[in-house]
């Protein structure tokens, strides 16, 4: 009689989901959230202006000095231009983490 296959151990339901044909992209670029998601099978992160605002609120101590630097570097910039630059930088920051943790 054949022995039953051993049960597969998953880190979490998130990890179990990523073992199917689905790919998970974390809908946040907040570093701690992203680290957790990647450790449990996520392959990347998404970012848009509302996600960036959420990241800024969560990681204000990290990003506030950069906002002030951008204002000095770009004295003629509008708030929208500075905000879009932050979206780009938050996205790039998350992208580096995704590449580093998946390597």
């Amino acid at each position: 009689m054949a022995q039953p296959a051993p049960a597969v151990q998953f880190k979490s339901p998130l990890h179990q989901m990523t073992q199917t044909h689905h790919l998970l992209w974390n809908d946040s670029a907040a570093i701690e959230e992203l680290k957790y998601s990647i450790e449990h099978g996520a392959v990347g992160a998404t970012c848009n202006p509302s996600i960036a605002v959420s990241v800024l609120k969560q990681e204000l101590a990290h990003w506030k000095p950069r906002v002030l630097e951008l204002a000095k570097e770009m004295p003629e910039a509008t708030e929208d231009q500075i905000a879009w630059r932050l979206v780009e930088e938050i996205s790039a920051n998350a992208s580096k983490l995704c590449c580093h943790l998946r390597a």
Side-chain angles (χ1 to χ4, degrees):
M1 191 176 265
Q3 296 292 324
V8 177
Q9 296 292 320
F10 297 106
K11 295 178 185 180
S12 66
L14 176 63
H15 181 242
Q16 183 177 5
M17 187 277 307
T18 64
Q19 301 309 300
T20 66
H21 64 277
H22 297 92
L23 296 176
L24 172 69
W25 281 72
N26 193 57
D27 202 17
S28 171
I31 296 304
E32 290 306 314
E33 291 176 19
L34 189 52
K35 283 180 185 177
Y36 177 85
S37 292
I38 292 170
E39 289 169 359
H40 289 84
V43 298
T46 61
C47 193
N48 61 40
S50 34
I51 289 172
V53 168
S54 175
V55 172
L56 287 172
K57 289 178 181 178
Q58 290 179 45
E59 301 175 356
L60 187 58
H62 173 79
W63 288 104
K64 185 175 180 179
R66 184 60 185 141
V67 171
L68 297 173
E69 286 175 13
L70 287 171
K72 286 181 185 176
E73 291 171 13
M74 304 165 44
E76 303 296 320
T78 65
E79 289 178 5
D80 284 348
Q81 291 168 322
I82 292 173
W84 277 110
R85 178 69 66 87
L86 279 172
V87 170
E88 291 171 4
E89 291 187 17
I90 288 169
S91 299
N93 193 40
S95 176
K96 289 176 193 172
L97 179 64
C98 291
C99 293
H100 172 71
L101 289 179
R102 293 188 67 216

